[in-house]
Amino acid sequence: MSASNAVCTPLVESQWPTASVADPQWYAVHTRSQHEKAVINQLERRGFQTFLPLIREVHRWSDRRKIVQLPLFSCYAFVHMRLLPELWYKVTQTSGVLGFVGARGEGIPVPENQIEALRTLLSSDVPCTLCPFLQIGQRVRIRGGALDGVEGLLIARNGDRTLVISVEPIQRSIAIRIDQYQVEAI
């Protein structure tokens, strides 16, 4: 095999850990800038279950205002799949996909509870803002209200209590004020 063929050859089955292919899991996919929606559409047409967290923003022009839906995490989308070589190859060959998030582009599973926390948060219409990814702090769970069961890191920002929900493999986080919510340590 020549060196040029080795670059284009998909990973062979022996390189895949057997535990990671057993059950479908969520994986983050790195996309080209502003290609998130197109990538999701293509993957769905190919039979993949996908998730693209979107937020609504008001864009203003000199003559009008319009509410647009933008990806919460620029250049990232999520796909639910078994990590098999043929499926991995199908995803990576999708137009606009740069690769899976993880070592050597093989993909690191995103925990189901992080995806569900994002879905719950976005469906509740609670105002949120992007914030720097945090690795320190106390993990907490909200008790009661529309966000019951959502977990994240508790931080204080300008005297307000804020919950940070992180998607670890893509190192992105969002923050919401939780002054009205009861929280418990995990």
Side-chain angles (χ1 to χ4, degrees):
M1 178 186 317
S2 70
S4 63
N5 287 343
V7 173
C8 297
T9 305
L11 297 176
V12 294
E13 197 144 347
S14 63
Q15 292 174 286
W16 295 87
T18 55
S20 67
V21 300
D23 295 321
Q25 296 185 49
W26 286 102
Y27 294 91
V29 176
H30 191 202
T31 68
R32 290 181 57 200
S33 179
Q34 299 181 354
H35 283 72
E36 303 89 352
K37 291 179 182 178
V39 165
I40 288 297
N41 289 334
Q42 290 178 63
L43 289 173
E44 287 176 352
R45 281 196 307 268
R46 292 179 178 191
F48 289 99
Q49 180 184 356
T50 63
F51 175 52
L52 181 61
L54 298 171
I55 56 170
R56 288 186 299 260
E57 285 187 3
V58 177
H59 281 216
R60 293 173 182 88
W61 290 270
S62 60
D63 62 335
R64 62 192 161 106
R65 291 176 32 181
K66 184 177 181 181
I67 297 176
V68 294
Q69 287 197 317
L70 300 173
L72 180 61
F73 304 123
S74 174
C75 296
Y76 293 98
F78 300 94
V79 61
H80 192 250
M81 60 181 271
R82 289 178 44 199
L83 195 57
L84 297 171
E86 59 272 13
L87 297 177
W88 177 90
Y89 187 73
K90 220 177 187 181
V91 171
T92 58
Q93 294 306 303
T94 302
S95 178
V97 171
L98 299 176
F100 281 89
V101 174
R104 298 185 309 266
E106 292 177 12
I108 297 172
V110 177
E112 181 80 29
N113 66 337
Q114 291 177 6
I115 296 293
E116 286 307 313
L118 285 173
R119 287 185 195 270
T120 302
L121 179 70
L122 294 173
S123 69
S124 69
D125 287 331
V126 173
C128 62
T129 58
L130 286 175
C131 68
F133 180 73
L134 302 173
Q135 294 181 338
I136 59 172
Q138 185 175 6
R139 292 201 50 83
V140 297
R141 180 182 302 120
I142 295 177
R143 283 287 156 225
L147 302 179
D148 187 43
V150 172
E151 297 178 6
L153 294 173
L154 181 65
I155 63 171
R157 189 183 288 170
N158 298 331
D160 295 326
R161 290 188 328 161
T162 301
L163 181 72
V164 176
I165 298 172
S166 299
V167 179
E168 293 167 10
I170 64 172
Q171 294 188 348
R172 295 291 190 273
S173 301
I174 59 174
I176 59 170
R177 290 185 51 200
I178 57 167
D179 292 329
Q180 309 87 338
Y181 291 96
Q182 294 289 92
V183 295
E184 66 180 11
I186 299 175

